[in-house]
Amino acid sequence: MSPLSFQALHQLYYDPDIENKNVAQKWLMQAQVSPQAWQFCWALLSPEKVPEIQYFGASALHTKISRYWGDIPAEQYDSLKTQLFAQIAHFASGSKMVLTRLCVALASLALNVMPDLWPGAVAEMVRAFQEEGVGADGRARCLALLELLTVLPEEFQTSRLPQARKGRVREALAAEWASVCPLLRQLLRQPESPGTVKARVLKCLSSWVLLDVPLSESEALVEDCFAVLTDPELFDAAVEAIVNAISHPDAQRHVSSLLKLVPQVLQRQDQLREAVQSGDMETSHGICRIAVALGENHSRVLLDQVENWHSFLALVNMIMFCTGIPGHYPVNETTSSLTLTFWYTLQDDIMSFDMEKQAAYLQVYRPVYFQLVDVLLHKAQFPTEEEYVSWSSDEKEQFRIYRVDISDTLMYVYEMLGAELLSSLYDKLGRVLTNAEQPTPWQHTEALLYGLQSIAETIDVSYSDVIPGLIGFIPRINVNNVQLADTVMFTIGALAEWLSDHPVMLSSVLPMVLQALGNPDLSVSSVSTLKKICRECKYDLIPYAANIVAVSQVRCSQCMWLMQALGFLLSALPVEEILQNLHSLITPYIQQLEKLADETPNPSNKVAIIHILGLLSNLFTTLDISKKEEQSEEGVPPVKTSPSQLGPNPVVVVLQQVFALIHTILSKWLNDSQVVEAVCAIFEKSVKTLLSDFAPMVSQLSEMLGRMYSTVPQASALELTRLMVHIFASEPEHFPPIKTLFELVTSVTLSIFQQGPRDHPDIVDSFMQLQAQALKRKPDLFLSENLDVKAVYHCGLISLEFPESPTVKSTCLFYVSKLGCVVMSQLWARWCRRMAIGGQSPRSLMEQFAEVLFCLNKHCPTLLAMWLKEALQPPDFPSPHVSAEQKDNFAEQILREHVNKRRVKEIVKEFTLVCRGLHGTEYAAGY
């Protein structure tokens, strides 16, 4: 090897300069794949070299064998195999990392030649390392053999073998298990086997079970693994091996083997309880993993074994113990969360039986699930306040997520237990709240409420007979804790839809919600609940509207949500009252905005401006009077009131009043994209909410948008223009201002493309989305004499060359939108270069490219045939991997498909894989 190579290796491993390391790594990667690598890799393995250099030599060998196997003449296979055996024997007593890479190299060689050229490969490996004269002591040889046997299945999983050959090799490897299993059993059962050897045996088993080795052929070895669970040094590896063996999908076909494992798992219960009592979280966690793996993966099979129902029920109870393991998650235990999915699976399997069988199982398992609810609510309880304060923020977040998982489980369990579950929780809450003699800790009350809330959030409780009582209980709860107060608020929010059907109950809970708004610690729960109530019950809140508006004018961290709540509320009022309430609500903000508009721009007043604009945006998002329904006579369905009956829309009135102020703000902050974005958001949300009611402002807003974009082009202005085109371009009275705006932003953007658009990918993306929307919504916009259509299409072709996938997708949408035959033939080749279906474009874009091809073929097949022939004619285009015959075949297949878009996508996908040299590989299988 050249001195330069050694210098590169030295730089890679020892040079502290990261740039030098990167340069060296790049050079060495190229060296690895060079033809000379076959010579220097053996030299790098010589004994006098340091392990880092030897490791690189072994890695180079693996790279050449795994990726460039075709370069090796068949007559050299045996000598290469012999050399690798010799090197592995030598390094059996040497560097572990070099040994592993050599084993991986030999494994790769075996996968490339078995079974035809190396039948019985694994058996030969075992024999070779059991012979005495291979240059290393017995223990080292044994560990080297186990390392080789371990990496062989792992290398198979990551190999790039063609799919058909991979199936043959998998079968050959599975057949070799007969040579491996007895060896592993012997080593694991021998008392004199060192711990390192047994640990390697367990890891080897974990590796082999991934090869579809039948559980019936490994059950004895798996049972041996249970025996070593008492060894702390081997515990983790044994758990991993058992779980991998049990969890394999093929295991369910071996029912007798699974039934033999159930007692093995149940025998670990004493070890589990001792671990829990002593606080040994690792042991309890591992045994729980085994029990859950057996129950979760094979519950249907085990349920079917009716004669063994007692043993399966015992396994279920063992998992129940794991669910209710003492302590608070995640501080005192981390095991209980492993079990939650099991309860979903078991319920699904029970409910999937026919009605008669299902009834029999429900008789047994309904009591189990009621017990589960009690266990889950106990686990959901908060610790004492003193303990909770000591938790880290990360622990609190994990506990929050854990409670959400419990909530989801309770919701699912309701499907089995039904209304009886709600009644049970309600009765328990009633006993807690009415038992004055024995006060119950707040945690118990909170957990029961949390259970009720979990169900009410997702299940229709309209016909439940316990909800009126629950609403009556809520004001009686002694709320003296933030966590309890939060749950009370969220429970009221979960019942908002029920309250809309029973508005007489609003007076019981609404005062609690309004009072909570003043507590900063309850801002999230109280505002969220108020928003739900205002959305669901807005017509019943009219008597409370003034009070709600007054109370809501408090400073809180959730003021954006609060504005949305008020928007829902105000929507139910008469227009005059809406305007009055809007005046009192937003006047202070408008006054503050006027003051800020007069100030010299600085970071602090920028934040304040964006905040106030955000408040207005959120208010206008939900303030929608067109959705208001008038009261009608009995028996006559309510009639949706039209805007003309309601008079001027309050949102439009407010926007017209503040329009000059917004214009003043823009004049000072036009160069700030965040402020411009906030301004556009007000109008965007207003347009989305009001739709045609926004009509009085179309001309005014179009003019302002044009001036904004002409002065400082920004993507947010294009987004708002796109929305205006979508809603108003088809309306004859609004077409002139929309047309003027569209022509203006298009002209300005074309000038950006002329200057170089690469620095403005957001503008390019939004511009192409706008053009696609215009083509789809109002093609007449492209008939204007003031619009250079050819230049727009040319911009699209430039956009196809952008590396950002969203931009390319938007451009493809533009071409697909009523494309016709507008694309000029002289631009086709450039589009093909970017498309380069087999080139470097991300695979996620291939579907968009296929849609463009489909659209072209649909509208102008003759021209497409000519363009495809011209574009695919150059040699090595779009890839040197594809032949002229394959290109012709691709063109023919595309031109045949005028109707089936899905088929075009499949053709493009296949051609892409061929062009990238990936057709038939493992990568292609997952493409």
Side-chain angles (χ1 to χ4, degrees):
M1 191 173 184
S2 68
L4 186 60
S5 304
F6 287 112
Q7 180 184 351
L9 283 167
H10 187 276
Q11 281 185 339
L12 178 64
Y13 291 117
Y14 304 114
D15 196 318
D17 191 311
I18 190 67
E19 289 189 12
N20 289 342
K21 282 180 179 290
N22 291 337
V23 171
Q25 184 177 30
K26 186 176 180 181
W27 191 91
L28 289 167
M29 291 291 288
Q30 293 172 343
Q32 266 190 331
V33 301
S34 68
Q36 293 75 29
W38 286 115
Q39 286 74 43
F40 72 66
C41 58
W42 299 109
L44 294 177
L45 289 168
S46 60
E48 68 273 9
K49 298 293 188 293
V50 295
E52 289 84 358
I53 290 179
Q54 293 170 334
Y55 177 83
F56 181 80
S59 295
L61 267 175
H62 173 247
T63 300
K64 297 297 288 185
I65 292 171
S66 62
R67 299 185 186 178
Y68 302 94
W69 179 252
D71 296 348
I72 308 173
E75 60 271 16
Q76 293 183 16
Y77 292 169
D78 285 341
S79 63
L80 179 58
K81 178 175 67 175
T82 302
Q83 284 180 288
L84 282 169
F85 267 123
Q87 290 290 345
I88 290 172
H90 171 74
F91 279 96
S93 302
S95 168
K96 174 68 169 60
M97 66 177 182
V98 179
L99 172 65
T100 299
R101 295 313 294 167
L102 288 169
C103 288
V104 173
L106 181 56
S108 184
L109 183 149
L111 296 175
N112 278 296
V113 296
M114 67 187 303
D116 301 327
L117 300 179
W118 193 3
V122 177
E124 184 178 332
M125 293 175 186
V126 173
R127 287 194 303 272
F129 283 92
Q130 286 179 332
E131 295 174 359
E132 292 293 333
V134 293
D137 63 69
R139 179 177 172 182
R141 291 201 313 274
C142 181
L143 287 171
L145 173 59
L146 289 171
E147 180 70 15
L148 178 57
L149 293 176
T150 300
V151 301
L152 182 59
E154 294 172 351
E155 179 68 6
F156 172 79
Q157 301 295 341
T158 59
S159 66
R160 300 185 178 188
L161 296 172
Q163 203 62 31
R165 172 159 172 71
K166 195 159 191 174
R168 291 188 61 222
V169 174
R170 181 189 290 275
E171 291 176 6
L173 282 173
E176 298 268 20
W177 177 241
S179 301
V180 178
C181 188
L183 171 67
L184 299 184
R185 285 205 71 193
Q186 177 187 352
L187 293 172
L188 194 59
R189 294 168 66 90
Q190 282 178 348
E192 64 271 19
S193 290
T196 51
V197 170
K198 290 184 176 182
R200 181 56 62 184
V201 167
L202 295 167
K203 187 175 180 183
C204 188
L205 171 60
S206 289
S207 181
W208 276 83
V209 294
L210 300 176
L211 288 176
D212 299 335
V213 172
L215 182 60
S216 57
E217 295 181 15
S218 59
E219 68 176 59
L221 180 56
V222 175
E223 290 181 17
D224 292 339
C225 293
F226 278 95
V228 301
L229 285 172
T230 54
D231 187 335
E233 298 297 322
L234 300 175
F235 180 82
D236 289 341
V239 168
E240 204 63 39
I242 295 169
V243 169
N244 286 339
I246 291 175
S247 302
H248 196 282
D250 184 66
Q252 62 184 322
R253 295 196 296 111
H254 305 278
V255 179
S256 61
S257 299
L258 290 172
L259 289 174
K260 291 176 185 177
L261 292 178
V262 174
Q264 292 283 347
V265 176
L266 294 176
Q267 288 170 17
R268 297 293 118 197
Q269 289 187 89
D270 289 340
Q271 186 181 2
L272 173 62
R273 288 191 172 88
E274 289 172 8
V276 171
Q277 289 171 2
S278 63
D280 183 355
M281 292 171 63
E282 288 76 15
T283 299
S284 59
H285 194 86
I287 295 175
C288 177
R289 282 187 64 199
I290 294 172
V292 169
L294 183 58
E296 188 176 312
N297 288 285
H298 308 294
S299 63
R300 177 62 188 247
V301 172
L302 295 172
L303 280 168
D304 273 329
Q305 313 311 308
V306 180
E307 66 279 6
N308 294 285
W309 73 273
H310 281 292
S311 62
F312 182 61
L313 183 59
L315 178 64
V316 171
N317 286 325
M318 182 178 178
I319 296 173
M320 181 75 77
F321 175 81
C322 294
T323 304
I325 201 163
H328 289 287
Y329 182 95
V331 177
N332 310 117
E333 62 91 8
T334 56
T335 299
S336 58
S337 63
L338 300 176
T339 67
L340 298 182
T341 308
F342 163 75
W343 299 109
Y344 286 82
T345 305
L346 177 60
Q347 179 176 324
D348 282 344
D349 289 335
I350 290 172
M351 303 306 284
S352 69
F353 287 118
D354 60 66
M355 295 304 293
E356 183 180 351
K357 202 170 184 180
Q358 184 185 123
Y361 279 111
L362 286 175
Q363 192 172 358
V364 175
Y365 285 100
R366 272 177 66 88
V368 173
Y369 271 85
F370 273 110
Q371 180 189 353
L372 173 66
V373 171
D374 292 338
V375 169
L376 290 175
L377 291 180
H378 180 75
K379 293 297 296 182
Q381 288 185 19
F382 280 89
T384 63
E385 293 185 53
E386 295 78 12
E387 186 180 349
Y388 191 65
V389 169
S390 69
W391 285 12
S392 68
S393 57
D394 184 55
E395 289 168 339
K396 290 177 180 177
E397 176 61 12
Q398 288 185 56
F399 182 60
R400 185 194 67 79
I401 295 171
Y402 176 67
R403 278 170 52 98
V404 171
D405 292 339
I406 287 177
S407 174
D408 292 342
T409 308
L410 290 172
M411 177 269 294
Y412 206 75
V413 168
Y414 181 86
E415 298 295 326
M416 175 188 278
L417 302 182
E420 194 178 339
L421 173 56
L422 271 179
S423 298
S424 172
L425 294 177
Y426 171 73
D427 291 343
K428 289 175 182 175
L429 180 64
R431 288 195 294 271
V432 166
L433 294 177
T434 56
N435 188 352
E437 295 179 3
Q438 291 183 326
T440 306
W442 67 264
Q443 289 92 339
H444 193 184
T445 304
E446 190 278 335
L448 287 168
L449 261 186
Y450 185 69
L452 288 161
Q453 171 212 324
S454 301
I455 297 168
E457 267 183 337
T458 50
I459 304 298
D460 183 7
V461 293
S462 304
Y463 304 103
S464 172
D465 56 359
V466 307
I467 302 303
L470 175 59
I471 294 289
F473 274 145
I474 286 176
R476 299 175 58 180
I477 297 173
N478 180 23
V479 182
N480 55 5
N481 176 277
V482 170
Q483 285 80 28
L484 177 57
D486 263 335
T487 303
V488 168
M489 287 297 109
F490 285 126
T491 303
I492 296 171
L495 298 172
E497 201 170 330
W498 184 90
L499 287 168
S500 70
D501 294 327
H502 305 83
V504 69
M505 304 298 288
L506 276 169
S507 59
S508 299
V509 293
L510 187 59
M512 297 179 68
V513 178
L514 298 181
Q515 183 181 0
L517 286 175
N519 187 340
D521 293 330
L522 302 178
S523 60
V524 172
S525 58
S526 61
V527 172
S528 170
T529 298
L530 181 63
K531 180 182 173 183
K532 289 179 179 178
I533 291 175
C534 289
R535 182 182 63 215
E536 301 295 337
C537 313
K538 58 185 176 183
Y539 300 116
D540 304 301
L541 291 176
I542 294 175
Y544 309 96
N547 189 28
I548 294 174
V549 172
V551 173
S552 298
Q553 295 186 36
V554 295
R555 297 283 181 180
C556 82
S557 60
Q558 305 302 314
C559 52
M560 299 297 175
W561 275 13
L562 192 54
M563 281 295 189
Q564 289 185 23
L566 295 175
F568 285 124
L569 175 68
L570 296 180
S571 299
L573 302 177
V575 172
E576 296 77 12
E577 291 186 32
I578 294 176
L579 290 170
Q580 290 172 9
N581 281 284
L582 279 177
H583 179 75
S584 63
L585 180 63
I586 68 175
T587 295
Y589 296 114
I590 300 302
Q591 291 173 346
Q592 187 181 355
L593 201 58
E594 289 173 342
K595 182 181 177 184
L596 292 167
D598 292 334
E599 296 177 1
T600 304
N602 63 68
S604 62
N605 57 27
K606 170 186 169 179
V607 171
I609 288 171
I610 291 175
H611 176 75
I612 294 172
L613 294 175
L615 291 174
L616 296 176
S617 295
N618 279 276
L619 177 63
F620 297 157
T621 298
T622 54
L623 208 172
D624 184 9
I625 62 172
S626 67
K627 295 180 182 178
K628 177 180 177 182
E629 295 177 344
E630 291 184 323
Q631 298 295 322
S632 54
E633 296 180 11
E634 189 174 349
V636 180
V639 180
K640 189 174 181 179
T641 310
S642 67
S644 59
Q645 292 174 290
L646 297 170
N649 191 290
V651 173
V652 173
V653 172
V654 172
L655 285 175
Q656 288 174 331
Q657 290 173 352
V658 300
F659 197 84
L661 175 58
I662 290 175
H663 193 273
T664 302
I665 291 171
L666 277 176
S667 66
K668 290 189 175 182
W669 290 93
L670 200 52
N671 287 300
D672 191 297
S673 61
Q674 291 177 308
V675 174
V676 172
E677 203 171 304
V679 168
C680 289
I682 290 181
F683 293 104
E684 181 183 344
K685 292 182 178 181
S686 300
V687 171
K688 284 181 178 179
T689 304
L690 303 182
L691 300 176
S692 59
D693 283 7
F694 191 82
M697 294 201 68
V698 170
S699 179
Q700 201 174 4
L701 179 58
S702 298
E703 185 182 347
M704 186 186 82
L705 270 175
R707 286 200 302 269
M708 280 171 54
Y709 195 74
S710 299
T711 309
V712 181
Q714 305 222 15
S716 54
L718 287 173
E719 292 294 322
L720 183 52
T721 301
R722 179 166 65 92
L723 184 61
M724 298 280 283
V725 167
H726 174 70
I727 295 175
F728 296 110
S730 297
E731 301 294 330
E733 66 270 27
H734 300 307
F735 182 73
I738 295 295
K739 176 174 175 287
T740 302
L741 173 61
F742 181 74
E743 291 173 354
L744 180 58
V745 297
T746 299
S747 174
V748 172
T749 309
L750 290 178
S751 66
I752 293 175
F753 273 89
Q754 291 172 355
Q755 297 163 12
R758 191 61 204 92
D759 294 333
H760 309 282
D762 55 338
I763 290 178
V764 173
D765 184 15
S766 298
F767 177 69
M768 297 316 302
Q769 288 188 50
L770 168 61
Q771 299 300 316
Q773 183 67 256
L775 263 179
K776 181 179 179 181
R777 192 70 175 172
K778 190 67 174 176
D780 291 358
L781 288 168
F782 288 85
L783 301 178
S784 170
E785 295 179 356
N786 300 324
L787 199 71
D788 190 342
V789 177
K790 185 175 178 180
V792 171
Y793 275 93
H794 185 75
C795 290
L797 292 165
I798 294 173
S799 304
L800 280 171
E801 299 179 5
F802 272 55
E804 290 84 5
S805 295
T807 304
V808 179
K809 287 183 179 181
S810 301
T811 307
C812 288
L813 286 174
F814 164 62
Y815 281 124
V816 171
S817 300
K818 299 185 180 180
L819 178 66
C821 297
V822 182
V823 182
M824 300 293 111
S825 59
Q826 63 265 36
L827 303 179
W828 166 257
R830 184 169 184 178
W831 183 82
C832 277
R833 280 202 303 277
R834 173 58 180 96
M835 179 179 179
I837 296 171
Q840 301 304 311
S841 298
R843 56 185 269 187
S844 60
L845 296 179
M846 289 303 115
E847 285 202 4
Q848 277 70 37
F849 290 153
E851 290 209 18
V852 176
L853 276 178
F854 178 77
C855 190
L856 283 166
N857 198 31
K858 187 176 180 181
H859 292 290
C860 44
T862 305
L863 287 173
L864 178 62
M866 180 182 69
W867 293 338
L868 274 173
K869 182 178 180 180
E870 178 186 337
L872 296 174
Q873 191 172 13
D876 292 341
F877 179 84
S879 161
H881 295 289
V882 64
S883 66
E885 182 181 354
Q886 288 170 317
K887 289 192 281 188
D888 291 341
N889 184 48
F890 167 71
E892 289 174 9
Q893 287 180 305
I894 290 291
L895 293 169
R896 277 200 300 266
E897 296 297 337
H898 298 278
V899 179
N900 194 337
K901 187 188 295 184
R902 182 183 58 81
R903 177 59 186 147
V904 172
K905 291 179 180 180
E906 290 174 357
I907 295 167
V908 169
K909 169 187 165 183
E910 289 297 315
F911 189 63
T912 300
L913 293 170
V914 171
C915 290
R916 294 182 177 183
L918 296 172
H919 194 267
T921 65
E922 182 182 7
Y923 175 87
Y927 189 89

